[in-house]
Amino acid sequence: MSHTLELPLWAAILVSVFLLAGSLITMIGAIGLVRFKLFYERIHAPTLGTTFGVGGILIASIIFFTVLQSRPVLHELLITAFVFVTTPVTLMLLTRATMHRDKTDDSRQLPTSTDLY
């Protein structure tokens, strides 16, 4: 970890801000997962927490390794793209599968059009 001593102060502050922001957003998503009761409420918070939280952490990683290696390090952008694409798709697949199950079981948890407003 001696490489972190070579990190300029401005980069260390910027990396710290993005790490803390990403971690805070991810933690808020995790709290939303625990706090909400119904599946349809619970699915939304961790999805946003994962997407934006991982985005902040990956931006911090990009800045950290770009400054240390004196060249652009952009392979984290590929990770970011995969997270931003797969998380909403997973949300939609889980929600549709649950809605199908609830429709076939006549569940009371299935939201109606009046619940949306």
Side-chain angles (χ1 to χ4, degrees), residues 33-70:
L33 176 66
V34 172
R35 185 170 167 95
F36 292 126
K37 294 176 183 156
L38 299 177
F39 174 80
Y40 297 104
E41 296 170 345
R42 295 178 77 186
I43 194 74
H44 190 66
T47 303
L48 290 176
T50 301
T51 304
F52 293 120
V54 168
I57 293 170
L58 287 171
I59 289 170
S61 175
I62 290 171
I63 294 169
F64 181 81
F65 289 110
T66 298
V67 170
L68 282 184
Q69 295 183 4
S70 301

Side-chain angles (χ1 to χ4, degrees), residues 55-114:
I57 293 170
L58 287 171
I59 289 170
S61 175
I62 290 171
I63 294 169
F64 181 81
F65 289 110
T66 298
V67 170
L68 282 184
Q69 295 183 4
S70 301
R71 65 180 175 87
V73 177
L74 301 176
H75 60 274
E76 281 95 349
L77 291 177
L78 188 60
I79 298 169
T80 306
F82 285 136
V83 167
F84 282 150
V85 169
T86 58
T87 303
V89 171
T90 305
L91 165 75
M92 288 184 347
L93 289 174
L94 284 172
T95 305
R96 286 183 183 202
T98 305
M99 286 179 68
H100 177 71
R101 183 196 64 200
D102 288 346
K103 283 180 184 178
T104 57
D105 293 345
D106 291 330
S107 175
R108 293 183 181 198
Q109 288 187 1
L110 190 64
T112 62
S113 60
T114 57

